[in-house]
Amino acid sequence: MKNIILIGMMGCGKTTISKKLSEVLNRPVIDIDEYLEHKYQMTIAEMFDISEDYFREREHVCCQDISQLDGYIVSTGGGVIKNPQNIKVLKNNGIIFYLDRPIENILQDIDTASRPLLKDGPEKLYQLYHERHTLYLQACDYRIENQTSIDEVINQIISIILNK
């Protein structure tokens, strides 16, 4: 059974939706960021303090590890699409869903101070979206607009999975 891979901007709902999908589909869930922190015994902020390249190299190793799993729901970090090799390995055994959520909605829900890439303020989120939106679209098998309820997003994903 292929993995369900969730990609999208930080704050788009990947973690919340992956946990609910896990409950509904009775499938295990794994968060790449949590896996990465556990594997390397460092926080993401500590890795970014070394360098973004340092973090991205470790993120790729984790994508390779996770691509070997079967039947999981995978929540990725927002920048996973920056390395095309991440998408390539995740697609080997996964269906990729881009959770596209309006930036205004994201800013209402997240604490920008706790996000390493947003330490310069919320306007950085608009810049990141502009840089990454096309990459998300190129990487995904399906785009899901996350503008309604979490249950509606989950129903859309389940409908796609059941009709494959």
Side-chain angles (χ1 to χ4, degrees), residues 82-96:
K82 290 183 75 173
N83 180 347
Q85 292 303 311
N86 290 342
I87 299 306
K88 183 178 179 185
V89 298
L90 291 171
K91 275 194 178 200
N92 282 341
N93 190 31
I95 302 166
I96 299 181

Side-chain angles (χ1 to χ4, degrees), residues 85-144:
Q85 292 303 311
N86 290 342
I87 299 306
K88 183 178 179 185
V89 298
L90 291 171
K91 275 194 178 200
N92 282 341
N93 190 31
I95 302 166
I96 299 181
F97 292 88
Y98 169 29
L99 302 179
D100 191 5
R101 186 172 184 216
I103 299 302
E104 296 77 21
N105 295 10
I106 292 173
L107 286 172
Q108 291 173 6
D109 291 344
I110 67 168
D111 174 15
T112 57
S114 69
R115 305 288 183 139
L117 285 175
L118 300 181
K119 63 182 179 236
D120 298 330
E123 61 281 348
K124 178 74 173 174
L125 194 58
Y126 288 97
Q127 178 188 340
L128 289 171
Y129 182 82
H130 179 72
E131 291 170 5
R132 296 177 178 179
H133 178 67
T134 301
L135 295 173
Y136 291 130
L137 290 173
Q138 291 169 348
C140 75
D141 296 304
Y142 300 95
R143 175 179 172 233
I144 306 287

Side-chain angles (χ1 to χ4, degrees), residues 6-142:
L6 304 179
I7 65 171
M9 293 291 295
M10 64 186 82
C12 73
K14 297 180 301 281
T15 299
T16 302
I17 290 167
S18 67
K19 289 176 182 174
K20 283 210 159 204
L21 260 177
S22 172
E23 292 170 13
V24 172
L25 296 175
N26 195 27
R27 289 172 69 169
V29 66
I30 190 162
D31 182 295
I32 288 181
D33 287 347
E34 289 176 9
Y35 179 83
L36 190 141
E37 287 184 336
H38 179 75
K39 179 176 178 107
Y40 292 102
Q41 296 297 299
M42 296 175 76
T43 66
I44 289 170
E46 290 169 334
M47 290 181 220
F48 265 90
D49 284 345
I50 295 169
S51 74
E52 184 175 350
D53 286 343
Y54 180 87
F55 169 77
R56 297 290 173 207
E57 289 167 6
R58 276 137 195 84
E59 180 181 54
H60 179 63
V61 170
C62 292
C63 286
Q64 290 174 313
D65 292 351
I66 288 169
S67 72
Q68 301 302 310
L69 301 173
D70 195 43
Y72 275 71
I73 296 164
V74 181
S75 175
T76 66
V80 73
I81 42 80
K82 290 183 75 173
N83 180 347
Q85 292 303 311
N86 290 342
I87 299 306
K88 183 178 179 185
V89 298
L90 291 171
K91 275 194 178 200
N92 282 341
N93 190 31
I95 302 166
I96 299 181
F97 292 88
Y98 169 29
L99 302 179
D100 191 5
R101 186 172 184 216
I103 299 302
E104 296 77 21
N105 295 10
I106 292 173
L107 286 172
Q108 291 173 6
D109 291 344
I110 67 168
D111 174 15
T112 57
S114 69
R115 305 288 183 139
L117 285 175
L118 300 181
K119 63 182 179 236
D120 298 330
E123 61 281 348
K124 178 74 173 174
L125 194 58
Y126 288 97
Q127 178 188 340
L128 289 171
Y129 182 82
H130 179 72
E131 291 170 5
R132 296 177 178 179
H133 178 67
T134 301
L135 295 173
Y136 291 130
L137 290 173
Q138 291 169 348
C140 75
D141 296 304
Y142 300 95

